Amino acid sequence: MRRATLVVVCVTTAMLMLDIAVVNTALPSIAVDLDAGMTSLQWVVDAYTLALATVVLSAGSWADRRGRRQVFVVGLILFTTASVVCAIAPNILTLDVARALQGLGGAVLFACSLALLADVFAPGKDRAGALAAYGATIGGAFALGPLAGGMLTEWLDWRAIFVVNLPIGILALWATMTWVPESRDPDFRRLDIGGQVFASIGLATLVLALLRGNEHGWTETITVASFAIAIVCSAAFVAVEMRVTQPMLPLEMFRNRAFTGAQIAAFAISVSLFSVFLYTTIYLQSVLGMSPIEAGLVYLPATAAMFVVAGGTAQLGQRVPAWILLCGSLLLVGVGLAMTTVADVDSSKWTILPGMLVAMIGAGIFNPVMSGLVLDASAAEHSGLAAGINDAFRQTGIAVGVAALGALLPAEAAFSGMDPHAYVAGLDKALWVSAGLATVGAVIAALTLRGHRASGDDVSATSAELVNSADGQPRI
């Protein structure tokens, strides 16, 4: 039963992560086929991550209340169905909407995955091994994703990257219903409708403002109004979370600097490395003229290194303090992204590989360590909420990062009439900003997480601090 649960969680996670990686490689082909510009392509990524980021908190609480396996099944059905809609999308608007539906399904699956593992693997060696497999799955998906996306796009069609989710989703659904045990939180939380509404509108309008401003102007009425709505909704979200009995994001937890530092670190790696990945892929195909397969091969050594490193890091986390591992991993990401700024219009296709290799090694260290922190800092019955909070910060980082970094690049279409020199100049700025964000995240990790380990019983005192909310009931 434990092994079956691990397999189901890893296969499903691989499907989710592959769907991110393969889409990046297929974007140039999608742009040509559906006559889409840069902003529309950014929404292919952001529609997914926005839906995931804004719903994953409620999904985690829902899973704790209704049963993790039951909710996991709902997520599988929604994600697989949305994948079919993506595959048959006749235009870019339909594709963007279907990607949002995928994000909703992905939010449920992400929120349940670590909670399912926490239910069947006790803290210690067994859980560390499960996290090693989980981290290796994330790394492996990114290792195979760009090449797999390139092969499917070039040999078949970009729609094939979504079709492959159908058999995987069906098999995962059958395995879940057959082998995965049910678990739930006996002290379930009510749905925070006000917080959900304000969080969704606030984040969506922020991303809209960033994308709209770059394309149409920062003083345009819609741009200014979107920023204003985002600010008002953010303030309203905080007010609701401070007053509601059972908030979707208990703000009291952020009084603990270790908890806050972990979420900032998760945001930092997403807003930097995993956001700029989209623009380096466009550079490879639209500036250097590579095919989808060639672009995938360029990434393969770096993403393969991420896979190998992730597989061995969870065990290391039992001996090395978490703050050292997280700080070191983010510094590697920052250094790697800075190295990638050597890319130019006339560069070799392998020019960005050394920098990407260093950055991906950092990501390989980061993922299992962060997963260990999330589980160790939560009681098992509240692990759905814990995983949801962490995933919300990760996906928010990608959504905001794609939009914000895109503001540094030319607003004109990236695939017709593009000025390659202007694009490379913008990419250079985006890489330097990303490197700076990762470095800031490393500093914050060092200041806030010092003294805590990634796995084991050493965090029990910290867990006790994190589980208490304003009404004295355990939250996480």
Side-chain angles (χ1 to χ4, degrees), residues 168-190:
I168 297 175
I170 292 174
L171 287 174
L173 180 62
W174 171 77
T176 301
M177 297 296 294
T178 303
W179 289 308
V180 175
E182 184 61 280
S183 63
R184 55 175 50 87
D185 181 355
D187 299 318
F188 62 83
R189 303 166 58 83
R190 294 186 180 92

Side-chain angles (χ1 to χ4, degrees), residues 208-298:
L208 175 63
L210 291 170
L211 296 179
R212 186 84 181 181
N214 188 39
E215 184 176 13
H216 297 286
W218 298 102
T219 59
E220 187 188 41
T221 302
I222 295 180
T223 303
V224 175
S226 296
F227 274 123
I229 293 173
I231 293 172
V232 171
C233 286
S234 297
F237 173 74
V238 173
V240 168
E241 298 309 280
M242 292 176 65
R243 292 176 178 272
V244 71
T245 303
Q246 292 184 324
M248 61 185 286
L249 181 61
L251 300 180
E252 291 79 10
M253 293 188 298
F254 291 93
R255 294 173 182 171
N256 181 283
R257 69 174 190 174
F259 176 82
T260 302
Q263 309 318 313
I264 292 175
F267 181 88
I269 196 169
S270 294
V271 79
S272 57
L273 175 60
F274 295 120
S275 297
V276 82
F277 200 77
L278 163 65
Y279 301 112
T280 57
T281 302
I282 293 176
Y283 162 75
L284 291 175
Q285 295 190 49
S286 297
V287 175
L288 298 188
M290 294 186 192
S291 69
I293 292 180
E294 288 175 327
L297 287 172
V298 168

Side-chain angles (χ1 to χ4, degrees), residues 336-352:
L337 292 174
M339 291 171 60
T340 310
T341 59
V342 299
D344 204 348
V345 174
D346 301 318
S347 295
S348 161
K349 64 181 182 180
W350 302 109
T351 299
I352 71 169

